Every structure is written in structure tokens, then in C-alpha cells.
Amino acid sequence: MNVTITPPDQLQAEGGFSFKYGDEAIFFDRTPRTEGISRILIKVHPDCRVRVSAPVHATDDEVLAAVKKRGRWIYLQLKEFKAQLAHITPRQYISGESHYYLGKQYLLKVIEAPNETQGVKLLRGKLEVSVRKKSSSKVKALLEDWYKAKSKEVFARRLDAMLDQALWVDERPPIRILTMQTQWGSCSPNGRLTLNPQLVKSPRECIDYVILHELCHIAEHNHGEGFYRLMKQVMPNWEVVKVRLDGMAATLLNGF
């Protein structure tokens, strides 16, 4: 398929950028990259947003040329995520729903208990949520708190395990838990890891992959050859694990 680029002046007038792949218009946002990084990074998120991170000095024409070069890949990524989203039913937080934890599915059981403490328990293959009065918003809030608490425990354990492989890390980095719509994790310039609590819904190897990915950024701050060489050393099958996590992303990020 041929790729055509919408003129930059027209796009900026509309508040964004777009290009056409075949007959389909694909829109994307441009965000600035960390100073000193020269590469243009293109990401397609599970909610079908396309984000292009580019150095401040890169012209719009250069950004559009980079997007044009990856047009087929962007189109196929969007096609895959749209197919996933088409089969996702919005959460209602009622008994009988299926929710994930550490890669396994658990049935949700909502129990109305006016005189008992409200909370979440994982019992006999079910996620039991006790509420004083049945309310979808309350069940959602309790589940959100439970996932965040579990993520702190699980991520701390997996970080300790991954540090045995990350020999370049001198001190145990601090972890921040933050719900994000389009990221599993990030690493700040001073080495603090930020992890998405919804990652705790994924299999352990996926959690390990994200933690190792961010630990590699302590040594390699961008996605250059050195970064991928380091990832290959500590997790030879990281690409397979990434594909697995990407395939679950639309489902796992569909709210708590």
C-alpha cells in the first residue's frame, strides 16, 4: 500500500498530525523527547492512540517522514488492537465477571454484607468483594485498592529477583505505583521505577520483562543498540514475552 502524508500546515490547523495508509487516515500526536536523544520513537498504544516522540529540533517534515517509513507497521498494530477492543465487554463489576491476577482469570463474586468490613479476598479461585450495599462504583474502587496493594507486594518481590541479574545496578531503586493509560512502566533519570498496578494482572514473566526493561534504562537511557544488547543478555526471550504482553494489553488495561 502507498502512504500519503497530509500537509503539515493543514494538520497543525487541526491540532494534530495524520497520514493515510491506503484509504485509512491515521492520526497521531507529537511529544518532545528527552534532550540529547536524537531518535524518533513511534508507539501504538492498546487504546489505538499513536504517539510520536521526537527531539525538539526535529522538523515536522522529518517527523512525518519517519512515520511514513513505519506506515505499514503502524497500520498492522492498529488493526490488531482494534480487533482486540472489538471483543472486550465493558466492566460492570457484578458477580460472574472474569478478572485477571498474575495471568490467571478469576470469577468475581460480589457479596452484600451490611455488617461486615468491606474488602477483597482471593478465595477458592474467586475474587470475593464484600460491600455493605451493592454498587458497581464501590466494587470497582475496592478492586482498584486491592490491585494496588497486591502490585506493591509482587513488584517488590520481582524487583529483588531481577536485581540478581541487573549487575549494573548499584543500589535498589525505589518503586512508585501509578495507574497509567498507555504505559506499563518508566524509569526516571535518577533511577526511580514507576510501574502500572494493572501490570499485576499479567503473568509473572511479563512483570519481570517490564522491570528488566526499566532496569536496563538505568544503564542505557534510550532504546539504542546498547539497550537491546543488554536486554538480550538478561532476558534472551524478551521479544516473545513482549508480544505476549502486547496481546493482552487491551484486555488488562480495560479498567480495574
Side-chain angles (χ1 to χ4, degrees), residues 107-127:
L107 283 180
L108 179 64
K109 182 178 181 181
V110 179
I111 302 171
E112 190 172 47
N115 300 318
E116 294 187 14
T117 303
Q118 300 184 114
V120 181
K121 294 179 181 178
L122 186 58
L123 295 172
R124 296 179 291 276
K126 293 181 181 179
L127 273 171

Side-chain angles (χ1 to χ4, degrees), residues 100-102 106 119-123 126-128 142-159 175 177 195-202 207 211 256:
Y100 285 86
Y101 176 61
L102 293 178
Y106 294 90
V120 181
K121 294 179 181 178
L122 186 58
L123 295 172
K126 293 181 181 179
L127 273 171
E128 294 189 357
L142 289 170
L143 277 173
E144 181 176 347
D145 291 342
W146 184 83
Y147 275 118
K148 286 181 178 178
K150 286 296 182 182
S151 67
K152 289 179 182 179
E153 298 172 10
V154 173
F155 295 164
R157 289 199 306 268
R158 298 319 303 162
L159 174 60
I175 296 179
I177 306 298
L195 298 174
N196 191 332
Q198 300 208 55
L199 179 63
V200 81
K201 298 177 182 179
S202 71
I207 297 171
I211 291 175
F256 281 93

